[in-house]
Amino acid sequence: MVAVFTAHRPDGVTFKTKFCWLHRAFPVTCQMVFCRLHIGGVMSAVVKTTGPPKKFEFVGGDVCLDFTNTVGGKRGVSTREYLNSYADFACWCRQADLLDESKADALLRVAARRPDESAAALRRAIALREAIYRIFAALALGESPQAADLVYLNAELSKHHRSLRVASRKQEFNWTWADAEDALDQPLGPIARSAADLLTSPHRLEQVRRCEGGTCGWLFVDSTKNHSRRWCVMSDCGNVAKVRRFRMKNRRTRSASSATSRKARGLKRS
């Protein structure tokens, strides 16, 4: 299945021609994600591509921290952006249970029809993510967050607060959001609320940590019994640190052995 557009470019080549060429060159199936593709100087609205959905990691212990961890590497040094399109953002929201499958698909269809709005929603999402990261990274280091970041978080809270509702389901009550069905920014409300809840939960807030990995900066809530967690993922950053310590220990042992050997040879000559 392939998207077909009939709008004409000045050079007489239609989008339909371009997409038919893509269909012949790259076989596609009904398993798809929506993205934007630059073709011949014109930005298309949507292209359906193959491949499994991106898999995100959830190790932060809180929605807002998991959201900040959609950047790989270490901020300020070398990073890898994981939210490169609105489709990536919707995919993360689906995996974070902020959207169900039908809602995520509906928003992707809206994003396909409104590429400029979806790009703006993605920019807002990333701006909120970075403000939340700076707030909690500062607190994890025992520092005070910047006032500008709190202002930004509060601005997002204000935009979505009017949509907050209490809903009942199976004799239980929980928060829900009554945003417009086609609002591409609707996941930002729950993310901002998650950050506010964590900031106003003193016991959990004091357990926010930043991964000590040399090439990582992910945030998490340390919920271990003795609060000794140092790594985002022990099998990843933790193992890297273990290997580094093992190599350093071996290097020091070899250096000490070499020094002892040289000293012994010197004594023998004398």
Side-chain angles (χ1 to χ4, degrees):
M1 184 176 292
V2 64
V4 176
F5 298 83
T6 57
H8 288 263
R9 288 173 46 190
D11 59 7
V13 178
T14 66
F15 284 133
K16 181 175 181 179
T17 303
K18 288 289 186 179
F19 277 90
C20 287
W21 177 84
L22 280 173
H23 179 57
R24 290 194 296 271
F26 307 103
V28 295
T29 68
C30 289
Q31 184 180 17
M32 55 196 176
V33 296
F34 290 82
C35 64
R36 302 179 73 189
L37 179 66
H38 191 274
I39 302 177
V42 179
M43 191 68 75
S44 68
V46 59
V47 178
K48 300 175 181 181
T49 61
T50 58
K54 185 177 292 185
K55 180 68 175 176
F56 293 92
E57 290 191 72
F58 292 84
V59 300
D62 199 283
V63 168
C64 64
L65 300 187
D66 282 322
F67 188 51
T68 68
N69 296 340
T70 55
V71 171
K74 196 162 192 171
R75 284 168 171 87
V77 181
S78 178
T79 59
R80 298 179 302 280
E81 177 61 71
Y82 296 150
L83 301 182
N84 295 297
S85 66
Y86 187 85
D88 289 339
F89 176 54
C91 184
W92 181 88
C93 291
R94 175 70 186 93
Q95 293 176 36
D97 290 329
L98 297 182
L99 299 172
D100 59 28
E101 187 174 357
S102 61
K103 172 61 78 173
D105 288 345
L107 288 181
L108 285 174
R109 289 192 292 271
V110 174
R113 296 194 302 270
R114 306 174 187 172
D116 292 337
E117 288 183 32
S118 67
L122 179 63
R123 286 193 297 270
R124 274 181 58 196
I126 290 176
L128 177 61
R129 180 191 68 187
E130 294 308 299
I132 292 173
Y133 180 84
R134 289 189 296 267
I135 289 170
F136 287 104
L139 292 169
L141 296 175
E143 301 172 358
S144 298
Q146 294 294 316
D149 291 326
L150 290 172
V151 167
Y152 194 91
L153 173 60
N154 281 322
E156 284 294 345
L157 284 169
S158 296
K159 289 175 185 175
H160 296 277
H161 188 266
R162 63 181 180 273
S163 302
L164 194 59
R165 302 286 188 276
V166 173
S168 61
R169 183 181 180 184
K170 296 181 179 179
Q171 297 183 338
E172 292 183 354
F173 296 89
N174 50 44
W175 290 111
T176 188
W177 302 84
D179 291 286
E181 288 295 313
D182 61 349
L184 293 171
D185 66 344
Q186 58 187 273
L188 300 186
I191 293 170
R193 177 61 188 262
S194 168
D197 286 343
L198 184 54
L199 285 170
T200 54
S201 302
H203 178 68
R204 298 188 71 236
L205 182 60
E206 66 183 12
Q207 303 306 329
V208 172
R209 304 281 187 268
R210 187 169 71 170
C211 180
E212 295 181 15
T215 58
C216 184
W218 279 14
L219 300 172
F220 56 87
V221 176
D222 180 5
S223 57
T224 59
K225 188 174 181 179
N226 58 355
H227 303 302
S228 59
R229 181 179 169 187
R230 300 173 60 192
W231 322 107
C232 59
V233 182
M234 187 61 197
S235 60
D236 190 346
C237 290
N239 280 349
V240 169
K242 280 185 174 181
V243 170
R244 186 178 294 116
R245 287 198 302 270
F246 177 77
R247 289 175 177 172
M248 289 180 64
K249 182 179 179 180
N250 280 353
R251 193 176 298 121
R252 287 195 297 267
T253 300
R254 288 196 299 269
S255 297
S257 178
S258 178
T260 301
S261 179
R262 288 196 300 272
K263 184 177 180 181
R265 288 196 299 271
L267 290 172
K268 187 176 180 180
R269 291 193 188 98
S270 61

